Amino acid sequence: MNFSKTSFSKTTKIITKTVLASFAGLLISTTAMAQGNAANGQKLFTQSKCNQCHTTSVYTKPDRKVTSLAALEAQVRRCDSNLNTNWFDDEIHDVTAYLNQQYYKF
């Protein structure tokens, strides 16, 4: 194939725009999916008696280990596994949303 410099530049720009648009769409859909329902998360948190192991100080102490929304979700997943609550992904997102709204504010 014989590409001129102009056609190669146009092709590169089109590919770059397509990749960036796809990445932005994926990022938006992942964020929307992970938001969760904080009200349902509070119910799940209460029903599962999460506060028996955790006082509110674990969420509010200055040197807490959870420093991002992704780390918070990972911690909720660890607790789910340790307690055998068997939450579905949407329920984990709900509890994550509740804890984030109530304490973390990421």
Side-chain angles (χ1 to χ4, degrees):
M1 287 189 188
N2 193 2
F3 286 108
S4 70
K5 195 173 191 177
T6 305
S7 67
F8 181 75
S9 179
K10 286 180 182 179
T11 304
T12 302
K13 286 180 182 179
I14 291 170
I15 291 171
T16 301
K17 286 180 181 181
T18 303
V19 168
L20 289 175
S22 298
F23 180 73
L26 178 63
L27 183 62
I28 290 168
S29 67
T30 302
T31 302
M33 183 178 68
Q35 286 181 344
N37 178 328
N40 188 52
Q42 182 178 15
K43 289 177 190 173
L44 291 165
F45 182 87
T46 303
Q47 288 170 353
S48 298
K49 300 181 177 154
C50 297
N51 58 351
Q52 285 185 344
C53 294
H54 305 289
T55 63
T56 57
S57 67
V58 78
Y59 311 118
T60 58
K61 63 184 180 179
D63 62 337
R64 64 186 180 208
K65 293 180 182 179
V66 172
T67 58
S68 70
L69 192 57
L72 177 57
E73 182 177 326
Q75 183 60 47
V76 171
R77 287 185 184 281
R78 277 189 291 280
C79 290
D80 171 55
S81 178
N82 290 337
L83 296 173
N84 294 317
T85 53
N86 299 314
W87 288 334
F88 293 104
D89 281 344
D90 60 332
E91 293 170 315
I92 287 172
H93 294 157
D94 292 349
V95 173
T96 301
Y98 165 68
L99 291 172
N100 187 45
Q101 182 183 58
Q102 189 69 25
Y103 302 105
Y104 292 93
K105 316 242 187 280
F106 293 123

